[in-house]
Amino acid sequence: MVLDAPRSELRLAEVPDPEPGPGEVLLHVAACGVCRTDLHILDGELDRPRLPLVLGHQIVGRVVRGGERFQAGERVGVPWLGWTDGTCRYCRSHRENLCDHAQFTGYDRDGGYAEQTVADERFCFSLPDGYPDLQAAPLLCAGLIGYRALRLAGDGERLGIYGFGAAAHIICQVARHEGRRVFAFTRADDTASQAFALELGAEWAGDALGPPPEELDAALIFAPAGELVPAALRATAKGGVVVCGGIHMSDIPSFPYELLWGERNLRSVANLTREDGERFLALAPEVPVRSEVETHPLERAGEALERVRSGALRGAAVVVPEA
Ligand SMILES: [Zn+2]
Ligand SMILES: [Zn+2]
């Protein structure tokens, strides 16, 4: 499925099979998770995609050939971080997520809305057994970037999660596993997401713009709505942390300094390191994280994206090429 230009529909196309270069593996795609970031690319909110482009950066695939790290037939996962230079000041200080020349899967490199794709083997992950392909796919961005956001939120017990989509449904389970109390903040009328959050162990779910039932120690914002930033700061106790987990957000409205005062921290989380991925993929089966997915055939990837946009989804959307 090819994106020719922002704000156009994905186009079903026959393209030449990708050819792996040195250190790259050719993969048969088994499943590819759909991420909110894909929508930001589609909508032109991330403005420098390679075009034409194959979207998709939560790829579960099987190695066909290429590289040295994996055997043919081995199952691997391909995340958003597709390549780094290894030499810039960020890479040299264990911050490859901030690499000046990083290439991202499904943005700078073709991704997984396809039957085949190519990936740099150094950035692929082995996937835990016990996760079918469909359930493994959302671990690769929703899961591991959500996990990075959770780590950066510190150890606070009372955790608010704003926006209860793919990342939240996974991270809620991890947070409960760590013994935290989870409060889920959604649109006031989104009773389906609120019920889903309660099923997954949140102790409260309600209106994101209303008052919280009690102060939070930390908040994760997964919805791309800037007005949630002052709302989350207002809900967070002194010394607390608010982490914005998305790659794009609407403008943040101005707010009184008082909301930040009291040593509250406001920060974003950007991309992932391979270490984040290794750590999260080891943790997921211990929780165990159960990802809920809604599957769509590859040629209906456009509809899958609109499902993510609508917020009507329960868990994560995954596209699957025809067998
Ligand atoms: Zn993503
Ligand atoms: Zn770098």
Side-chain angles (χ1 to χ4, degrees):
M1 295 297 288
V2 175
L3 177 69
D4 294 305
R7 293 173 292 278
S8 66
E9 290 198 357
L10 300 186
R11 173 173 60 86
L12 181 65
E14 278 293 335
V15 298
D17 287 352
E19 191 57 38
E24 292 183 333
V25 283
L26 174 67
L27 302 172
H28 259 305
V29 177
C32 184
V34 179
C35 179
R36 170 67 68 169
T37 297
D38 302 338
L39 268 180
H40 294 312
I41 299 168
L42 182 77
D43 291 346
E45 290 162 339
L46 300 184
D47 57 5
R48 49 165 195 86
R50 178 187 132 161
L51 293 170
L53 174 70
V54 178
L55 290 167
H57 58 267
Q58 306 186 84
I59 307 169
V60 176
R62 285 185 176 67
V63 173
V64 178
R65 63 187 160 83
E68 295 176 343
R69 185 176 163 206
F70 301 104
Q71 304 290 319
E74 211 171 326
R75 184 172 80 147
V76 300
V78 184
W80 170 244
L81 188 69
W83 186 88
T84 58
D85 59 17
T87 57
C88 74
R89 67 196 202 91
Y90 298 104
C91 286
R92 285 185 283 110
S93 56
H94 305 287
R95 294 180 292 168
E96 65 180 1
N97 60 307
L98 302 178
C99 176
D100 281 330
H101 303 108
Q103 293 177 12
F104 299 107
T105 309
Y107 188 53
D108 303 300
R109 306 167 60 96
D110 278 338
Y113 290 13
E115 293 163 297
Q116 295 189 3
T117 194
V118 152
D120 185 317
E121 63 179 350
R122 296 170 302 166
F123 292 84
C124 295
F125 296 115
S126 293
L127 294 171
D129 297 331
Y131 282 90
D133 296 339
L134 293 172
Q135 278 69 31
L139 303 181
L140 288 161
C141 187
L144 59 86
I145 290 191
Y147 176 64
R148 183 175 173 86
L150 180 66
R151 278 206 300 115
L152 295 180
D155 297 326
E157 186 191 11
R158 298 166 300 179
L159 180 73
I161 300 182
Y162 286 76
F164 212 83
H169 99 286
I170 291 173
I171 292 315
C172 180
Q173 298 174 56
V174 176
R176 292 293 300 132
H177 174 74
E178 293 177 343
R180 304 185 199 231
R181 300 167 60 201
V182 175
F183 301 83
F185 295 81
T186 72
R187 282 188 285 248
D189 59 354
D190 189 358
T191 52
S193 292
Q194 290 165 12
F196 187 36
L198 296 173
E199 274 176 52
L200 291 174
E203 68 176 60
W204 176 90
D207 181 3
L209 299 177
E214 58 185 281
E215 279 188 324
L216 306 171
D217 299 309
L220 310 179
I221 303 180
F222 291 124
E227 66 266 26
L228 295 176
V229 170
L233 282 169
R234 188 173 280 118
T236 299
K238 288 181 285 189
V241 186
V242 174
V243 182
C244 302
I247 194 169
H248 176 86
M249 193 181 246
S250 57
D251 285 356
I252 300 169
S254 79
F255 55 85
Y257 177 59
E258 185 192 346
L259 295 187
L260 189 61
W261 172 248
E263 301 197 341
R264 290 175 183 84
N265 287 291
L266 172 62
R267 67 171 302 162
S268 64
V269 59
N271 314 316
L272 67 136
T273 65
R274 283 171 281 183
E275 189 186 351
D276 293 325
E278 303 292 352
R279 287 174 62 172
F280 174 68
L281 292 170
L283 174 65
E286 279 175 33
V287 171
V289 169
R290 297 185 199 289
S291 49
E292 287 208 26
V293 302
E294 177 183 287
T295 62
H296 296 264
L298 174 60
E299 62 272 24
R300 300 240 177 111
E303 286 170 35
L305 283 160
E306 292 310 314
R307 288 284 291 162
V308 171
R309 188 195 302 282
S310 75
L313 204 60
R314 186 183 155 93
V318 176
V319 294
V320 183
E322 213 99 50

